[in-house]
Amino acid sequence: MRLAWYNDNRLGVVRGERVHDVSNVLGTLDIAYPYPPGDPLIANLGQLRPQLESAADATDGTAVAEAVFRSPVANPSKVIGTPANYMKHVEEAEADPEIHTERFRGKVEQQGLFLKANSALVGPGDGIAVRFPDRRTDHELELAAVIGRTAADVNEADALDYVAGYAIALDMSVRGPEDRSLRKSCDSYAVLGPWLVTADEIADPDNLDFELTIGGETRQSSNTRHMILDTRRQIAWASRFYTLHPGDIIMTGTCEGVGPVAPGDVMHCSFETIGAMDVTVREHL
Ligand code: MN
């Protein structure tokens, strides 16, 4: 199943080139206060699935091309970033003083994970607003794994059982000396989209081609099999530090080819099996 938030916060099921409004199913969610950690829709996705499918059957839907897609996860408890997880990106960072800082060296095992502020999260239809135009803001195209059920101290062998699905992510980054949690958390610097593809549709998250182009020029092109820590190992490792809640997002790291964006650019991002999304860059006013 392909699940999306679109237009004015409508919940949709995407089938082929149509998105079907299934927002009425949300009324069956019983949400108490204090608000539980994680995203209640993702937490209940398994049991809601028959209702979502039948609600989608009942509408003609609208064309995907006419929909404005928001983040397919509305309320994650956290957005986790995995740095330095492709050897060719590690090498380009080591070679370019503009994109590494002295305090962060080596591969992912040496650097550990980081967090991006939830307030940075947007969908492709929202676009990104570049701050600090005198500094470099780079695109980092990544596979996002979205957690489906509470995970603490999970084994690598079982780790994919905790995944609700996958989406395309952009870990937008201001380059410079500050902590990653600041530089990668500007409003709109965490793009997720265009929809969540449930895990049953992705046989192997560690073997997906992906590409980012701007103006027809290929900037990033790789396959997730080149990750240093595969998706399983990232989930297991993260779950030893903190409980992962339904809806938590892991941005699994970027490949070589990171580069600056400027207002007016459109990043065309595509991922095998998941789909494609265009993300427009504007100035922060
Ligand atoms: Mn990244």
Side-chain angles (χ1 to χ4, degrees):
M1 174 184 278
R2 293 166 180 234
L3 198 65
W5 288 100
Y6 69 106
N7 295 352
D8 187 14
N9 292 318
R10 308 307 298 176
L11 179 66
V13 168
V14 178
R15 292 174 175 170
E17 293 304 311
R18 309 291 288 178
V19 54
H20 301 263
D21 191 331
V22 296
S23 304
N24 58 346
V25 175
L26 293 168
T28 64
L29 283 176
D30 186 19
I31 299 171
Y33 191 88
Y35 193 76
D39 184 298
L41 173 63
I42 304 291
N44 291 285
L45 195 54
Q47 69 189 71
L48 287 177
R49 219 163 143 161
Q51 287 171 259
L52 293 165
E53 295 284 13
S54 53
D57 291 340
T59 69
D60 290 337
T62 53
V64 162
E66 287 165 18
V68 178
F69 287 97
R70 313 301 177 185
S71 167
V73 179
N75 291 288
S77 84
K78 52 190 166 299
V79 180
I80 300 161
T82 301
N85 198 27
Y86 286 74
M87 201 58 221
K88 285 184 181 172
H89 174 58
V90 173
E91 289 164 3
E92 78 177 346
E94 291 282 337
D96 184 353
E98 283 190 26
I99 59 174
H100 80 257
T101 57
E102 287 304 319
R103 65 168 129 165
F104 297 124
R105 301 300 289 265
K107 294 186 284 184
V108 55
E109 297 98 320
Q110 289 82 49
Q111 298 207 27
L113 304 170
F114 64 92
L115 294 174
K116 289 168 74 79
N118 293 6
S119 49
L121 188 64
V122 296
D126 300 306
I128 76 128
V130 167
R131 300 202 176 209
F132 316 112
D134 53 325
R135 297 178 59 176
R136 192 171 147 177
T137 291
D138 280 9
H139 53 75
E140 295 190 355
L141 180 62
E142 317 198 354
L143 175 69
V146 176
I147 296 299
R149 58 192 178 99
T150 304
D153 295 314
V154 303
N155 297 318
E156 282 173 27
D158 304 327
L160 293 186
D161 297 344
Y162 292 83
V163 176
Y166 301 90
I168 306 173
L170 281 166
D171 172 21
M172 301 302 298
S173 308
V174 181
R175 298 303 178 196
E178 305 96 327
D179 194 85
R180 283 189 175 100
S181 65
L182 184 68
R183 294 185 288 105
K184 291 171 172 276
S185 287
C186 299
D187 289 355
S188 80
Y189 278 28
V191 187
L192 193 73
W195 37 69
L196 181 78
V197 178
T198 52
D200 53 292
E201 294 191 19
I202 306 244
D204 183 3
D206 302 317
N207 187 15
L208 297 171
D209 286 331
F210 60 95
E211 185 178 58
L212 183 147
T213 65
I214 296 178
E217 176 201 347
T218 298
R219 297 279 195 93
Q220 295 191 273
S221 179
S222 190
N223 182 291
T224 54
R225 70 173 171 268
H226 298 302
M227 290 194 290
I228 294 168
L229 289 187
D230 64 18
T231 307
R232 281 180 186 78
R233 293 173 69 194
Q234 291 178 57
I235 293 166
W237 194 30
S239 81
R240 289 201 286 275
F241 286 87
Y242 29 49
T243 298
L244 305 177
H245 296 290
D248 281 5
I249 298 159
I250 302 179
M251 296 192 178
T252 60
T254 199
C255 70
E256 69 278 12
V258 301
V261 296
D265 285 347
V266 178
M267 295 175 280
H268 180 70
C269 308
S270 61
F271 247 92
E272 183 180 358
T273 313
I274 300 175
M277 63 184 195
D278 286 331
V279 181
T280 299
V281 180
R282 67 183 187 281
E283 192 179 348
H284 173 68
L285 300 172

